[in-house]
Short mmCIF file of all heavy atoms in Angstrom, two decimals:
data_model
loop_
_atom_site.label_atom_id
_atom_site.label_comp_id
_atom_site.label_asym_id
_atom_site.label_seq_id
_atom_site.Cartn_x
_atom_site.Cartn_y
_atom_site.Cartn_z
N MET V 453 0.82 -1.19 0.00
CA MET V 453 0.00 0.00 0.00
C MET V 453 0.86 1.26 0.00
O MET V 453 0.69 2.12 -0.82
CB MET V 453 -0.93 0.00 1.21
CG MET V 453 -1.67 1.32 1.38
SD MET V 453 -2.84 1.39 2.74
CE MET V 453 -1.79 1.30 4.15
N MET V 454 1.81 1.37 0.91
CA MET V 454 2.56 2.61 1.05
C MET V 454 3.69 2.74 0.04
O MET V 454 3.98 3.82 -0.42
CB MET V 454 3.10 2.72 2.47
CG MET V 454 1.99 2.89 3.48
SD MET V 454 2.55 2.65 5.15
CE MET V 454 2.35 0.90 5.32
N LYS V 455 4.32 1.64 -0.34
CA LYS V 455 5.45 1.69 -1.27
C LYS V 455 4.99 1.74 -2.72
O LYS V 455 5.70 2.17 -3.59
CB LYS V 455 6.36 0.48 -1.06
CG LYS V 455 6.99 0.45 0.31
CD LYS V 455 8.38 0.95 0.26
CE LYS V 455 8.99 0.78 1.64
NZ LYS V 455 10.02 1.71 1.92
N SER V 456 3.77 1.27 -2.99
CA SER V 456 3.27 1.27 -4.35
C SER V 456 2.90 2.70 -4.76
O SER V 456 2.60 3.54 -3.92
CB SER V 456 2.05 0.36 -4.45
OG SER V 456 1.03 0.83 -3.62
N PRO V 457 2.90 2.97 -6.07
CA PRO V 457 2.54 4.32 -6.52
C PRO V 457 1.06 4.61 -6.26
O PRO V 457 0.24 3.70 -6.16
CB PRO V 457 2.84 4.29 -8.01
CG PRO V 457 2.84 2.86 -8.39
CD PRO V 457 3.23 2.08 -7.17
N MET V 458 0.75 5.87 -6.16
CA MET V 458 -0.64 6.28 -6.02
C MET V 458 -1.26 6.32 -7.41
O MET V 458 -0.70 6.93 -8.32
CB MET V 458 -0.72 7.65 -5.34
CG MET V 458 -2.09 8.05 -4.93
SD MET V 458 -1.99 9.51 -3.86
CE MET V 458 -3.71 9.90 -3.72
N ILE V 459 -2.39 5.64 -7.59
CA ILE V 459 -3.04 5.52 -8.89
C ILE V 459 -4.43 6.15 -8.82
O ILE V 459 -5.17 5.92 -7.86
CB ILE V 459 -3.20 4.03 -9.29
CG1 ILE V 459 -1.86 3.29 -9.25
CG2 ILE V 459 -3.87 3.88 -10.64
CD1 ILE V 459 -0.87 3.72 -10.29
N CYS V 460 -4.80 6.92 -9.83
CA CYS V 460 -6.13 7.49 -9.90
C CYS V 460 -7.15 6.35 -10.05
O CYS V 460 -7.03 5.53 -10.96
CB CYS V 460 -6.25 8.45 -11.08
SG CYS V 460 -7.93 9.10 -11.29
N PRO V 461 -8.14 6.31 -9.17
CA PRO V 461 -9.13 5.24 -9.26
C PRO V 461 -10.07 5.38 -10.46
O PRO V 461 -10.71 4.41 -10.86
CB PRO V 461 -9.91 5.36 -7.94
CG PRO V 461 -9.75 6.78 -7.55
CD PRO V 461 -8.40 7.20 -8.04
N SER V 462 -10.13 6.57 -11.05
CA SER V 462 -11.04 6.78 -12.18
C SER V 462 -10.42 6.45 -13.53
O SER V 462 -11.07 5.85 -14.38
CB SER V 462 -11.52 8.24 -12.21
OG SER V 462 -12.33 8.49 -11.09
N CYS V 463 -9.15 6.86 -13.72
CA CYS V 463 -8.56 6.69 -15.06
C CYS V 463 -7.26 5.90 -15.07
O CYS V 463 -6.73 5.61 -16.13
CB CYS V 463 -8.36 8.05 -15.73
SG CYS V 463 -7.03 9.05 -15.01
N GLY V 464 -6.70 5.58 -13.90
CA GLY V 464 -5.49 4.78 -13.83
C GLY V 464 -4.18 5.53 -13.96
O GLY V 464 -3.12 4.92 -13.99
N THR V 465 -4.23 6.85 -14.00
CA THR V 465 -3.02 7.66 -14.10
C THR V 465 -2.20 7.52 -12.82
O THR V 465 -2.76 7.53 -11.72
CB THR V 465 -3.38 9.14 -14.32
OG1 THR V 465 -4.07 9.27 -15.56
CG2 THR V 465 -2.15 10.04 -14.33
N VAL V 466 -0.88 7.39 -12.95
CA VAL V 466 0.01 7.39 -11.78
C VAL V 466 0.10 8.83 -11.28
O VAL V 466 0.39 9.75 -12.04
CB VAL V 466 1.40 6.85 -12.14
CG1 VAL V 466 2.35 6.96 -10.96
CG2 VAL V 466 1.31 5.41 -12.62
N LEU V 467 -0.18 9.01 -10.00
CA LEU V 467 -0.22 10.34 -9.39
C LEU V 467 1.07 10.63 -8.62
O LEU V 467 1.62 9.75 -7.98
CB LEU V 467 -1.42 10.45 -8.46
CG LEU V 467 -2.78 10.18 -9.10
CD1 LEU V 467 -3.88 10.17 -8.04
CD2 LEU V 467 -3.08 11.19 -10.18
N ASP V 468 1.51 11.87 -8.68
CA ASP V 468 2.72 12.31 -7.99
C ASP V 468 2.31 12.92 -6.65
O ASP V 468 1.70 13.99 -6.62
CB ASP V 468 3.44 13.35 -8.85
CG ASP V 468 4.71 13.89 -8.22
OD1 ASP V 468 5.09 13.43 -7.12
OD2 ASP V 468 5.33 14.78 -8.83
N VAL V 469 2.64 12.24 -5.54
CA VAL V 469 2.23 12.75 -4.23
C VAL V 469 2.91 14.07 -3.89
O VAL V 469 2.43 14.81 -3.03
CB VAL V 469 2.45 11.72 -3.08
CG1 VAL V 469 1.57 10.51 -3.29
CG2 VAL V 469 3.89 11.35 -2.92
N CYS V 470 4.00 14.41 -4.57
CA CYS V 470 4.66 15.70 -4.34
C CYS V 470 3.82 16.86 -4.85
O CYS V 470 4.08 18.01 -4.52
CB CYS V 470 6.04 15.71 -4.98
SG CYS V 470 7.21 14.61 -4.19
N ARG V 471 2.80 16.56 -5.65
CA ARG V 471 1.89 17.58 -6.16
C ARG V 471 0.56 17.53 -5.39
O ARG V 471 -0.50 17.72 -5.95
CB ARG V 471 1.68 17.39 -7.65
CG ARG V 471 2.98 17.50 -8.43
CD ARG V 471 2.74 17.36 -9.90
NE ARG V 471 1.84 18.40 -10.35
CZ ARG V 471 2.18 19.43 -11.11
NH1 ARG V 471 3.40 19.53 -11.54
NH2 ARG V 471 1.29 20.33 -11.46
N TYR V 472 0.67 17.28 -4.09
CA TYR V 472 -0.51 17.09 -3.24
C TYR V 472 -1.33 18.37 -3.09
O TYR V 472 -0.80 19.47 -3.18
CB TYR V 472 -0.09 16.58 -1.86
CG TYR V 472 0.77 17.53 -1.08
CD1 TYR V 472 0.21 18.49 -0.24
CD2 TYR V 472 2.17 17.48 -1.16
CE1 TYR V 472 0.99 19.36 0.49
CE2 TYR V 472 2.96 18.35 -0.44
CZ TYR V 472 2.38 19.29 0.38
OH TYR V 472 3.15 20.16 1.09
N GLN V 473 -2.63 18.19 -2.87
CA GLN V 473 -3.53 19.28 -2.50
C GLN V 473 -3.55 19.42 -0.98
O GLN V 473 -3.67 20.52 -0.46
CB GLN V 473 -4.95 19.00 -3.01
CG GLN V 473 -5.07 18.98 -4.50
CD GLN V 473 -4.82 20.35 -5.10
OE1 GLN V 473 -5.44 21.33 -4.70
NE2 GLN V 473 -3.91 20.42 -6.05
N ALA V 474 -3.46 18.29 -0.30
CA ALA V 474 -3.44 18.27 1.16
C ALA V 474 -2.59 17.08 1.61
O ALA V 474 -2.53 16.06 0.93
CB ALA V 474 -4.85 18.13 1.72
N MET V 475 -1.92 17.29 2.74
CA MET V 475 -1.10 16.22 3.32
C MET V 475 -1.33 16.25 4.83
O MET V 475 -1.14 17.28 5.47
CB MET V 475 0.38 16.42 3.02
CG MET V 475 1.26 15.39 3.68
SD MET V 475 3.04 15.49 3.31
CE MET V 475 3.40 17.21 3.31
N LEU V 476 -1.74 15.12 5.37
CA LEU V 476 -1.92 14.97 6.81
C LEU V 476 -0.85 14.01 7.29
O LEU V 476 -0.88 12.82 6.96
CB LEU V 476 -3.31 14.42 7.13
CG LEU V 476 -3.59 14.09 8.58
CD1 LEU V 476 -3.59 15.35 9.43
CD2 LEU V 476 -4.92 13.39 8.72
N VAL V 477 0.11 14.53 8.04
CA VAL V 477 1.23 13.71 8.50
C VAL V 477 0.74 12.80 9.62
O VAL V 477 0.15 13.26 10.60
CB VAL V 477 2.41 14.58 8.96
CG1 VAL V 477 3.53 13.73 9.51
CG2 VAL V 477 2.91 15.44 7.81
N ILE V 478 0.99 11.51 9.45
CA ILE V 478 0.57 10.51 10.42
C ILE V 478 1.73 10.13 11.34
O ILE V 478 1.55 9.93 12.53
CB ILE V 478 0.04 9.26 9.68
CG1 ILE V 478 -1.20 9.65 8.88
CG2 ILE V 478 -0.25 8.12 10.65
CD1 ILE V 478 -1.66 8.59 7.92
N SER V 479 2.92 10.03 10.77
CA SER V 479 4.12 9.72 11.54
C SER V 479 5.29 10.37 10.81
O SER V 479 5.10 11.03 9.78
CB SER V 479 4.33 8.21 11.67
OG SER V 479 4.64 7.65 10.42
N CYS V 480 6.50 10.16 11.32
CA CYS V 480 7.65 10.82 10.70
C CYS V 480 7.90 10.38 9.26
O CYS V 480 8.57 11.07 8.52
CB CYS V 480 8.91 10.63 11.55
SG CYS V 480 9.43 8.91 11.70
N ASP V 481 7.32 9.25 8.85
CA ASP V 481 7.56 8.79 7.47
C ASP V 481 6.30 8.46 6.69
O ASP V 481 6.38 8.04 5.54
CB ASP V 481 8.50 7.59 7.47
CG ASP V 481 7.96 6.41 8.25
OD1 ASP V 481 6.96 6.58 8.97
OD2 ASP V 481 8.53 5.32 8.13
N LEU V 482 5.11 8.70 7.27
CA LEU V 482 3.85 8.41 6.59
C LEU V 482 2.92 9.61 6.62
O LEU V 482 2.88 10.36 7.59
CB LEU V 482 3.11 7.25 7.27
CG LEU V 482 3.65 5.86 7.13
CD1 LEU V 482 2.79 4.89 7.93
CD2 LEU V 482 3.71 5.44 5.68
N ALA V 483 2.15 9.75 5.52
CA ALA V 483 1.15 10.82 5.46
C ALA V 483 -0.03 10.37 4.62
O ALA V 483 0.09 9.50 3.77
CB ALA V 483 1.76 12.08 4.86
N LEU V 484 -1.16 11.00 4.88
CA LEU V 484 -2.34 10.83 4.04
C LEU V 484 -2.28 11.96 3.01
O LEU V 484 -2.35 13.14 3.37
CB LEU V 484 -3.62 10.94 4.87
CG LEU V 484 -4.92 10.94 4.08
CD1 LEU V 484 -5.14 9.60 3.38
CD2 LEU V 484 -6.09 11.25 5.00
N PHE V 485 -2.10 11.59 1.76
CA PHE V 485 -2.00 12.56 0.67
C PHE V 485 -3.32 12.63 -0.08
O PHE V 485 -3.93 11.61 -0.37
CB PHE V 485 -0.91 12.15 -0.33
CG PHE V 485 0.48 12.27 0.20
CD1 PHE V 485 1.10 11.18 0.80
CD2 PHE V 485 1.17 13.46 0.11
CE1 PHE V 485 2.40 11.28 1.28
CE2 PHE V 485 2.46 13.57 0.59
CZ PHE V 485 3.08 12.48 1.18
N SER V 486 -3.75 13.84 -0.42
CA SER V 486 -4.88 14.07 -1.32
C SER V 486 -4.31 14.73 -2.57
O SER V 486 -3.64 15.76 -2.48
CB SER V 486 -5.94 14.97 -0.68
OG SER V 486 -6.52 14.30 0.41
N VAL V 487 -4.57 14.11 -3.71
CA VAL V 487 -4.00 14.55 -4.98
C VAL V 487 -5.10 14.62 -6.02
O VAL V 487 -5.95 13.72 -6.10
CB VAL V 487 -2.90 13.55 -5.44
CG1 VAL V 487 -2.28 13.99 -6.76
CG2 VAL V 487 -1.83 13.39 -4.38
N VAL V 488 -5.08 15.66 -6.84
CA VAL V 488 -6.02 15.78 -7.96
C VAL V 488 -5.35 15.21 -9.20
O VAL V 488 -4.22 15.58 -9.54
CB VAL V 488 -6.42 17.25 -8.20
CG1 VAL V 488 -7.28 17.38 -9.45
CG2 VAL V 488 -7.17 17.80 -7.00
N CYS V 489 -6.04 14.32 -9.88
CA CYS V 489 -5.51 13.71 -11.10
C CYS V 489 -5.41 14.76 -12.20
O CYS V 489 -6.40 15.45 -12.50
CB CYS V 489 -6.43 12.56 -11.56
SG CYS V 489 -5.90 11.81 -13.10
N PRO V 490 -4.25 14.89 -12.84
CA PRO V 490 -4.10 15.87 -13.92
C PRO V 490 -4.86 15.48 -15.19
O PRO V 490 -5.08 16.33 -16.06
CB PRO V 490 -2.58 15.90 -14.16
CG PRO V 490 -2.10 14.57 -13.70
CD PRO V 490 -3.01 14.17 -12.57
N GLN V 491 -5.26 14.22 -15.30
CA GLN V 491 -5.97 13.76 -16.50
C GLN V 491 -7.49 13.93 -16.40
O GLN V 491 -8.12 14.38 -17.34
CB GLN V 491 -5.64 12.29 -16.78
CG GLN V 491 -4.20 12.02 -17.08
CD GLN V 491 -3.73 12.75 -18.33
OE1 GLN V 491 -4.42 12.79 -19.35
NE2 GLN V 491 -2.56 13.35 -18.24
N CYS V 492 -8.08 13.54 -15.25
CA CYS V 492 -9.54 13.53 -15.15
C CYS V 492 -10.09 14.38 -14.01
O CYS V 492 -11.29 14.43 -13.79
CB CYS V 492 -10.04 12.09 -15.03
SG CYS V 492 -9.64 11.30 -13.44
N ASN V 493 -9.22 15.05 -13.26
CA ASN V 493 -9.61 15.94 -12.15
C ASN V 493 -10.25 15.23 -10.96
O ASN V 493 -10.88 15.87 -10.13
CB ASN V 493 -10.55 17.05 -12.63
CG ASN V 493 -9.80 18.31 -12.96
OD1 ASN V 493 -8.60 18.40 -12.74
ND2 ASN V 493 -10.50 19.27 -13.52
N THR V 494 -10.09 13.94 -10.84
CA THR V 494 -10.60 13.21 -9.68
C THR V 494 -9.67 13.44 -8.49
O THR V 494 -8.46 13.35 -8.63
CB THR V 494 -10.68 11.70 -9.99
OG1 THR V 494 -11.60 11.50 -11.05
CG2 THR V 494 -11.12 10.91 -8.77
N MET V 495 -10.25 13.74 -7.33
CA MET V 495 -9.47 13.87 -6.10
C MET V 495 -9.36 12.49 -5.48
O MET V 495 -10.36 11.81 -5.28
CB MET V 495 -10.15 14.82 -5.12
CG MET V 495 -9.48 14.90 -3.76
SD MET V 495 -8.00 15.90 -3.70
CE MET V 495 -8.71 17.51 -3.65
N SER V 496 -8.12 12.08 -5.18
CA SER V 496 -7.87 10.78 -4.55
C SER V 496 -7.05 10.99 -3.30
O SER V 496 -6.23 11.90 -3.22
CB SER V 496 -7.08 9.87 -5.50
OG SER V 496 -7.79 9.69 -6.70
N SER V 497 -7.26 10.12 -2.32
CA SER V 497 -6.49 10.17 -1.07
C SER V 497 -5.95 8.79 -0.77
O SER V 497 -6.62 7.78 -1.00
CB SER V 497 -7.37 10.64 0.08
OG SER V 497 -7.81 11.96 -0.13
N SER V 498 -4.72 8.77 -0.24
CA SER V 498 -4.09 7.50 0.10
C SER V 498 -2.97 7.74 1.10
O SER V 498 -2.33 8.79 1.09
CB SER V 498 -3.52 6.85 -1.17
OG SER V 498 -3.02 5.58 -0.89
N ILE V 499 -2.74 6.75 1.95
CA ILE V 499 -1.62 6.81 2.89
C ILE V 499 -0.39 6.29 2.16
O ILE V 499 -0.39 5.19 1.62
CB ILE V 499 -1.90 5.97 4.15
CG1 ILE V 499 -3.09 6.57 4.92
CG2 ILE V 499 -0.65 5.89 5.04
CD1 ILE V 499 -3.56 5.74 6.08
N LYS V 500 0.64 7.12 2.13
CA LYS V 500 1.88 6.80 1.43
C LYS V 500 3.08 7.24 2.26
O LYS V 500 2.97 8.11 3.14
CB LYS V 500 1.95 7.52 0.07
CG LYS V 500 0.87 7.10 -0.91
CD LYS V 500 1.10 5.69 -1.35
CE LYS V 500 0.03 5.18 -2.27
NZ LYS V 500 0.16 3.77 -2.53
N ALA V 501 4.23 6.67 1.93
CA ALA V 501 5.48 7.14 2.54
C ALA V 501 5.74 8.57 2.09
O ALA V 501 5.45 8.93 0.94
CB ALA V 501 6.63 6.23 2.12
N ILE V 502 6.27 9.38 2.99
CA ILE V 502 6.61 10.75 2.64
C ILE V 502 7.90 10.70 1.81
O ILE V 502 8.93 10.21 2.29
CB ILE V 502 6.81 11.63 3.89
CG1 ILE V 502 5.51 11.67 4.70
CG2 ILE V 502 7.27 13.03 3.50
CD1 ILE V 502 5.65 12.30 6.07
N PRO V 503 7.86 11.19 0.57
CA PRO V 503 9.06 11.15 -0.28
C PRO V 503 10.20 11.97 0.32
O PRO V 503 9.96 12.96 1.03
CB PRO V 503 8.59 11.77 -1.60
CG PRO V 503 7.11 11.70 -1.58
CD PRO V 503 6.71 11.77 -0.13
N ALA V 504 11.41 11.56 0.03
CA ALA V 504 12.60 12.24 0.56
C ALA V 504 12.59 13.73 0.25
O ALA V 504 12.99 14.55 1.09
CB ALA V 504 13.86 11.59 -0.01
N GLN V 505 12.11 14.11 -0.93
CA GLN V 505 12.13 15.53 -1.30
C GLN V 505 11.14 16.37 -0.49
O GLN V 505 11.23 17.59 -0.50
CB GLN V 505 11.92 15.74 -2.80
CG GLN V 505 10.62 15.21 -3.35
CD GLN V 505 10.74 13.82 -3.93
OE1 GLN V 505 11.38 12.95 -3.34
NE2 GLN V 505 10.11 13.58 -5.05
N LEU V 506 10.23 15.74 0.25
CA LEU V 506 9.30 16.48 1.11
C LEU V 506 9.68 16.42 2.59
O LEU V 506 9.09 17.13 3.40
CB LEU V 506 7.88 15.93 0.94
CG LEU V 506 7.22 16.11 -0.42
CD1 LEU V 506 5.83 15.48 -0.40
CD2 LEU V 506 7.14 17.57 -0.81
N GLN V 507 10.65 15.59 2.95
CA GLN V 507 11.00 15.39 4.36
C GLN V 507 11.37 16.70 5.06
O GLN V 507 10.88 16.97 6.16
CB GLN V 507 12.15 14.38 4.49
CG GLN V 507 11.74 12.96 4.23
CD GLN V 507 10.92 12.35 5.36
OE1 GLN V 507 10.96 12.80 6.49
NE2 GLN V 507 10.16 11.33 5.02
N GLU V 508 12.21 17.51 4.46
CA GLU V 508 12.64 18.76 5.11
C GLU V 508 11.46 19.71 5.28
O GLU V 508 11.31 20.35 6.32
CB GLU V 508 13.76 19.44 4.31
CG GLU V 508 14.30 20.69 4.99
CD GLU V 508 14.81 20.47 6.42
OE1 GLU V 508 15.35 19.39 6.70
OE2 GLU V 508 14.67 21.39 7.25
N GLU V 509 10.58 19.79 4.28
CA GLU V 509 9.39 20.63 4.37
C GLU V 509 8.50 20.18 5.53
O GLU V 509 7.99 21.01 6.29
CB GLU V 509 8.61 20.53 3.05
CG GLU V 509 7.32 21.28 3.01
CD GLU V 509 6.58 21.08 1.69
OE1 GLU V 509 7.21 20.77 0.67
OE2 GLU V 509 5.34 21.21 1.72
N VAL V 510 8.33 18.89 5.69
CA VAL V 510 7.51 18.34 6.76
C VAL V 510 8.13 18.65 8.12
O VAL V 510 7.45 19.09 9.04
CB VAL V 510 7.30 16.82 6.57
CG1 VAL V 510 6.69 16.18 7.81
CG2 VAL V 510 6.44 16.54 5.35
N HIS V 511 9.43 18.43 8.25
CA HIS V 511 10.10 18.71 9.52
C HIS V 511 10.07 20.19 9.87
O HIS V 511 9.88 20.56 11.03
CB HIS V 511 11.53 18.17 9.50
CG HIS V 511 11.58 16.68 9.64
ND1 HIS V 511 11.56 16.04 10.85
CD2 HIS V 511 11.62 15.70 8.70
CE1 HIS V 511 11.59 14.73 10.67
NE2 HIS V 511 11.61 14.50 9.37
N MET V 512 10.24 21.07 8.87
CA MET V 512 10.20 22.51 9.11
C MET V 512 8.81 22.93 9.58
O MET V 512 8.66 23.69 10.54
CB MET V 512 10.57 23.28 7.84
CG MET V 512 10.79 24.75 8.08
SD MET V 512 11.29 25.72 6.63
CE MET V 512 12.00 24.55 5.53
N ALA V 513 7.76 22.41 8.94
CA ALA V 513 6.39 22.73 9.34
C ALA V 513 6.11 22.22 10.75
O ALA V 513 5.47 22.90 11.54
CB ALA V 513 5.41 22.14 8.35
N ALA V 514 6.63 21.03 11.08
CA ALA V 514 6.43 20.49 12.43
C ALA V 514 7.08 21.37 13.48
O ALA V 514 6.48 21.63 14.54
CB ALA V 514 6.99 19.06 12.49
N ARG V 515 8.28 21.86 13.19
CA ARG V 515 8.95 22.76 14.14
C ARG V 515 8.16 24.05 14.32
O ARG V 515 8.05 24.56 15.43
CB ARG V 515 10.37 23.06 13.66
CG ARG V 515 11.34 21.92 13.92
CD ARG V 515 12.79 22.35 13.66
NE ARG V 515 13.05 22.65 12.26
CZ ARG V 515 13.35 21.75 11.32
NH1 ARG V 515 13.43 20.47 11.64
NH2 ARG V 515 13.59 22.11 10.09
N GLU V 516 7.60 24.59 13.23
CA GLU V 516 6.85 25.84 13.29
C GLU V 516 5.62 25.74 14.17
O GLU V 516 5.25 26.70 14.83
CB GLU V 516 6.45 26.30 11.88
CG GLU V 516 7.60 26.84 11.08
CD GLU V 516 7.18 27.23 9.67
OE1 GLU V 516 5.96 27.28 9.37
OE2 GLU V 516 8.08 27.49 8.85
N VAL V 517 4.98 24.59 14.18
CA VAL V 517 3.75 24.43 14.97
C VAL V 517 3.98 23.70 16.29
O VAL V 517 3.05 23.44 17.03
CB VAL V 517 2.63 23.72 14.16
CG1 VAL V 517 2.26 24.53 12.94
CG2 VAL V 517 3.00 22.31 13.81
N GLY V 518 5.24 23.34 16.57
CA GLY V 518 5.55 22.67 17.83
C GLY V 518 5.12 21.22 17.88
O GLY V 518 4.87 20.69 18.96
N ALA V 519 5.01 20.59 16.72
CA ALA V 519 4.64 19.17 16.69
C ALA V 519 5.80 18.33 17.19
O ALA V 519 6.96 18.71 17.08
CB ALA V 519 4.25 18.75 15.28
N GLY V 520 5.50 17.17 17.72
CA GLY V 520 6.50 16.29 18.32
C GLY V 520 7.67 15.96 17.42
O GLY V 520 8.81 16.01 17.83
N MET V 521 7.40 15.63 16.16
CA MET V 521 8.50 15.21 15.28
C MET V 521 9.42 16.37 14.94
O MET V 521 10.52 16.16 14.46
CB MET V 521 7.98 14.53 14.04
CG MET V 521 7.14 15.42 13.14
SD MET V 521 6.43 14.52 11.77
CE MET V 521 7.78 14.49 10.65
N GLY V 522 9.01 17.60 15.17
CA GLY V 522 9.87 18.74 14.89
C GLY V 522 10.71 19.15 16.07
O GLY V 522 11.47 20.09 16.02
N CYS V 523 10.58 18.45 17.19
CA CYS V 523 11.27 18.83 18.43
C CYS V 523 12.39 17.88 18.78
O CYS V 523 12.70 17.70 19.94
CB CYS V 523 10.25 18.87 19.57
SG CYS V 523 8.90 20.01 19.31
N GLU V 524 13.00 17.26 17.80
CA GLU V 524 14.07 16.28 18.07
C GLU V 524 15.30 16.96 18.62
O GLU V 524 15.64 18.04 18.34
CB GLU V 524 14.43 15.53 16.79
CG GLU V 524 13.30 14.69 16.32
CD GLU V 524 13.12 14.69 14.81
OE1 GLU V 524 13.97 15.20 14.09
OE2 GLU V 524 12.10 14.19 14.38
#
């Protein structure tokens, strides 16, 4: 589930979680991503691993709001 790519349930397009509309961080390495399909405009949500290119953004946001993972 988490390691597999996010796929649009309507048209089958592989979705890029880095282009998320919303991200709810669940743990230091998992988040619920909501992504709009660029092909059919369907909004999809899935729990996925947080990609390496988003890790610093997530940690910076956690520090700004005083979340636990930002207080290491």
Side-chain angles (χ1 to χ4, degrees):
M453 172 178 67
M454 293 167 272
K455 297 260 185 207
S456 62
M458 190 168 172
I459 306 292
C460 176
S462 294
C463 71
T465 298
V466 175
L467 303 174
D468 180 3
V469 296
C470 291
R471 300 182 60 109
Y472 64 89
Q473 294 293 308
M475 176 177 41
L476 174 66
V477 177
I478 297 169
S479 68
C480 64
D481 60 348
L482 288 178
L484 173 65
F485 290 93
S486 294
V487 180
V488 174
C489 177
Q491 297 298 316
C492 70
N493 265 354
T494 298
M495 174 78 78
S496 302
S497 296
S498 185
I499 296 173
K500 296 292 177 188
I502 299 170
Q505 60 265 43
L506 295 179
Q507 287 286 338
E508 183 56 34
E509 177 183 335
V510 169
H511 285 275
M512 190 178 337
R515 283 190 294 276
E516 286 177 11
V517 299
M521 63 185 278
C523 301
E524 294 140 9

